[in-house]
Amino acid sequence: MADTAHSLHLNSPDSGADEKTNRRRALVGGIAGYFVDQFDIYLPVIVLAPAMSYFVPSDLDAGTATIIAAFVFTATLIGRPVGAAIFGVIADRTGRRKATIIAIAGIAVTTLLIGLLPGHASVGLWGIALLILLRLVDGIFLGGEYTAAIPLAMEWTPKRRRGLASGLITMTSPGALCLISALTLLLLQIFPAGTPDSPYSVWGWRIPFIIGAALAAGFLVYFVRHVPESEAWENSEPAAKRVSPLRQLFTGSNRRSLAQVFVLMTGVWIALNISASVLPGLTSTVAGLTPTQLTIAIIIASGVSTVTYPVAGLVSQRIGRRPFYIGVGLLVAIVGGGATALLAGAREPGFGLAVLLLTIAFAVGILAFGPIAAYMTERFPAALRSTGYGIGYSLALVIPAFYAYYLVGLGDLFGPTYASAILMALGGLLITVGAVFGPETRDVDMGAPAPSRQ
């Protein structure tokens, strides 16, 4: 590992580049890296859904098949906090750049291997077992990518532009969803799907995975050649790098910072789960959409959301992160929850009305992600910034991951029609509460200790 780190250092970009060039390269690296991350995240959710018959027995009951399909996505979610912890420590102790290079290389390899997997007809249940295992490993590398690359990009960005830079980075999430949905729709129009031996089931689904691997490889080349190490990390105290970032994170003021962002991010992830996982199915059921119509609706909703992220970043830069998240939490609770309730209670809405309500609820529900890259990196000092960002961002995934059970409980109490709207509103309130108990971070010096709420 020491030899590898030394090699990566020797291959670092030309140190003679001016500061403006380095800032631009770091921001492009953050944008491209997050796009690769999000493209990979959505692959099993959208691309594999029409091809799961390739991996599971044809005589398997529908309930078991659904559980297995869920395991594929859950494996990625489990891997992300693990990767955040592992690569956060690597990034804080040996450098953001090295950690990013290792993580993105892992994403490229695992994504390519998934694209080459055999199915049930060839290897039986080993096919789905290998898919779940590779998605777990992939999740670890995905957690490592954003844990290292985003703090690096934010540390290079001038404080007056961090809000916009954050929005440009995170807008690649709905952008990736929009692109993958469009790509899958195109492939399904060309290659028939539905049976284990259909063209899409056998090899059509592999095309997006190979594209994902190629994107990761291209980003890796760019990062190695052009993106410099963070000056904030290089200038941090050597003694601080020798102390375990994990130990520092769970002590003193850092522990309070982690608890605060955990509450806020729990609300953010709850709202996202309702937006991305519940709303599409709800829209399809209420409006009776065909799979093609639903895909078009998702493309529209995610396309609109892509535009809102930079705007959200700019607004947070203008008014401050704390007021932004207080306000957005209320917006999610009232507007996002209200649009979800209207959609759930609609009686035979037309395609236009259904897409409008879906787009409003979806765009508002995920709006908090706009400035999140700036806010989360501003909350922790340089010596443990990657660890704090990665764990604070990923650990909060755990409670929202069980949203399906919460919907059942809320349905029993208030009726199933409005359970998703209530949970969306709860997510918004948690965002507001988390923001209230946090400090303002807009003017934080990335090389100085992070602020604490007085």
Side-chain angles (χ1 to χ4, degrees), residues 139 189 316 332 380:
Q189 301 307 308
S316 77
V332 171
F380 300 97

Side-chain angles (χ1 to χ4, degrees), residues 202-295:
V202 174
W203 61 269
W205 64 270
R206 302 179 193 274
I207 296 174
F209 277 88
I210 293 173
I211 291 173
L215 289 172
F219 168 63
L220 177 62
V221 172
Y222 174 84
F223 209 88
V224 169
R225 290 184 175 179
H226 299 294
V227 180
E229 182 56 87
S230 160
E231 287 186 339
W233 178 83
E234 290 183 328
N235 296 333
S236 61
E237 290 293 332
K241 297 173 185 175
R242 291 194 293 269
V243 180
S244 169
L246 282 171
R247 182 183 303 172
Q248 294 181 69
L249 183 62
F250 287 94
T251 58
S253 61
N254 295 320
R255 180 173 57 191
R256 291 192 293 274
S257 297
L258 180 62
Q260 179 261 316
V261 300
F262 180 84
V263 173
L264 185 143
M265 284 304 305
T266 296
V268 170
W269 287 119
I270 287 175
L272 173 70
N273 283 339
I274 296 300
S275 300
S277 301
V278 177
L279 284 177
L282 179 63
T283 305
S284 179
T285 300
V286 169
L289 304 183
T290 66
T292 298
Q293 288 177 320
L294 178 60
T295 303

Side-chain angles (χ1 to χ4, degrees), residues 21-90:
T21 299
N22 285 336
R23 287 175 175 173
R24 184 181 68 252
R25 290 174 174 176
L27 177 58
V28 171
I31 294 171
Y34 200 67
F35 175 78
V36 168
D37 174 299
Q38 294 301 296
F39 189 93
D40 203 286
I41 283 291
Y42 289 118
L43 282 176
V45 179
I46 299 173
V47 172
L48 276 182
M52 284 306 295
S53 60
Y54 179 71
F55 289 99
V56 297
S58 57
D59 57 351
L60 197 66
D61 65 273
T64 305
T66 300
I67 292 173
I68 290 176
F71 278 165
V72 175
F73 183 64
T74 303
T76 312
L77 295 183
I78 294 172
R80 290 175 74 178
V82 175
I86 294 172
F87 284 92
V89 172
I90 294 173

Side-chain angles (χ1 to χ4, degrees), residues 149 178 225 397:
C178 182
R225 290 184 175 179
L397 279 163

Side-chain angles (χ1 to χ4, degrees), residues 180-422:
I180 291 179
S181 298
L183 177 60
T184 304
L185 179 62
L186 175 63
L187 289 172
L188 288 172
Q189 301 307 308
I190 299 173
F191 308 115
T195 61
D197 57 352
S198 64
Y200 184 88
S201 297
V202 174
W203 61 269
W205 64 270
R206 302 179 193 274
I207 296 174
F209 277 88
I210 293 173
I211 291 173
L215 289 172
F219 168 63
L220 177 62
V221 172
Y222 174 84
F223 209 88
V224 169
R225 290 184 175 179
H226 299 294
V227 180
E229 182 56 87
S230 160
E231 287 186 339
W233 178 83
E234 290 183 328
N235 296 333
S236 61
E237 290 293 332
K241 297 173 185 175
R242 291 194 293 269
V243 180
S244 169
L246 282 171
R247 182 183 303 172
Q248 294 181 69
L249 183 62
F250 287 94
T251 58
S253 61
N254 295 320
R255 180 173 57 191
R256 291 192 293 274
S257 297
L258 180 62
Q260 179 261 316
V261 300
F262 180 84
V263 173
L264 185 143
M265 284 304 305
T266 296
V268 170
W269 287 119
I270 287 175
L272 173 70
N273 283 339
I274 296 300
S275 300
S277 301
V278 177
L279 284 177
L282 179 63
T283 305
S284 179
T285 300
V286 169
L289 304 183
T290 66
T292 298
Q293 288 177 320
L294 178 60
T295 303
I296 293 172
I298 293 173
I299 291 172
I300 294 172
S302 56
V304 170
S305 297
T306 301
V307 178
T308 65
Y309 275 37
V311 175
L314 285 170
V315 171
S316 77
Q317 194 66 43
R318 183 66 179 271
I319 68 175
R321 315 277 189 247
R322 185 169 179 266
F324 173 84
Y325 278 111
I326 291 173
V328 162
L330 295 175
L331 191 69
V332 171
I334 298 170
V335 177
T340 302
L342 289 174
L343 180 62
R347 295 291 179 266
E348 299 183 0
F351 178 77
L353 178 59
V355 172
L356 176 63
L357 292 174
L358 168 66
T359 301
I360 293 172
F362 186 91
V364 170
I366 65 175
L367 188 62
F369 280 96
I372 204 69
Y375 182 73
M376 292 291 288
T377 50
E378 290 163 350
R379 287 298 286 119
F380 300 97
L384 53 87
R385 181 164 291 134
S386 281
T387 304
Y389 175 91
I391 292 181
Y393 186 87
S394 300
L395 190 61
L397 279 163
V398 176
I399 294 176
F402 298 96
Y403 69 91
Y405 299 98
Y406 309 147
L407 289 176
V408 171
L410 289 170
D412 291 340
L413 289 173
F414 304 104
T417 301
Y418 299 109
S420 53
I422 295 171

